[in-house]
Amino acid sequence: MDARDDTSLTDLLALARAGDGNAYNRVFASAYAELQRLARQTRRGLAGATLDTTGLVHECYLRLIRNASRAKDGEHFLAIAAQAMRHLLIEMARARLTEKRGGGAERIDIDETDAAETRDAEELIAIDDLLRKLEREHPQQAEVVACRFFGGLGDEETAAALSLSVRTVQREWARARDWLAQQAGA
């Protein structure tokens, strides 16, 4: 089943909100292939991602289940999933940097792989900091970025997930890209 045909996914989410305890497991099973695609997209968008695609989906499972009840429909659920994946990768990058910067053990030797991982983690955190700033200054643009960049959703899907018009999504996406480019160049 294609999770993009969200009639079933939306129906399962409604059952879960209505109290069907098994429905959340069915949501996850129904959306699994789409969650795998989201994980690949999220990992590709964020350098330094150490989890493989399947690991990222499984690590996000509990976060997805906790937040699934607020999903309006299948597209909104996938947007929430993309955000959960992004946040998990950021947390892992922060933990990796903390560990590398003296998280308890003395470490003397450093190799190229270690340095590359540190650079990737620092870059990932810098991207996240920029996106958090966008969230504070332009929350709607940040939601559009999350759906488009991390969720891999198109204009129509993003509009449906966020209850916006397609034109508003296109306008906010263009503004967000301009803002991000300006901030990154500063």
Side-chain angles (χ1 to χ4, degrees), residues 17-161:
R17 281 191 303 275
D20 181 342
N22 190 33
Y24 285 124
N25 290 333
R26 291 170 45 212
V27 164
F28 186 74
S30 173
Y32 191 79
E34 190 65 11
L35 292 172
Q36 289 272 344
R37 186 195 64 75
L38 281 175
R40 279 191 298 280
Q41 176 78 20
T42 301
R43 289 179 66 247
R44 188 172 29 251
L46 298 173
T50 57
L51 279 179
D52 66 7
T53 300
T54 301
L56 181 56
V57 170
H58 289 251
E59 285 289 327
C60 285
Y61 175 76
L62 291 175
R63 293 172 191 222
L64 294 174
I65 295 305
R66 282 195 306 258
N67 292 308
S69 63
R70 57 174 230 214
K72 296 176 278 192
D73 56 30
E75 294 298 338
H76 191 223
F77 172 79
L78 295 174
I80 291 169
Q83 282 285 64
M85 290 176 190
R86 172 186 151 218
H87 289 294
L88 179 64
L89 290 173
I90 297 299
E91 288 169 14
M92 293 178 71
R94 287 189 194 283
R96 212 169 41 244
L97 279 180
T98 298
E99 185 178 305
K100 290 190 184 297
R101 291 188 175 146
E106 183 177 330
R107 190 164 177 172
I108 297 172
D109 63 305
I110 185 166
D111 61 16
E112 287 183 35
T113 303
D114 212 25
E117 283 181 14
T118 299
R119 270 192 315 276
D120 287 347
E122 288 170 345
E123 185 176 302
L124 180 59
I125 290 169
I127 290 169
D128 184 61
D129 290 343
L130 194 56
L131 290 173
R132 286 183 190 276
K133 185 176 179 184
L134 179 63
E135 287 170 352
R136 286 189 303 277
E137 294 182 20
H138 307 286
Q140 186 167 287
Q141 289 177 16
E143 288 180 327
V144 169
V145 169
C147 289
R148 295 292 312 270
F149 185 74
F150 296 107
L153 303 180
D155 290 338
E156 293 81 15
E157 297 158 324
T158 300

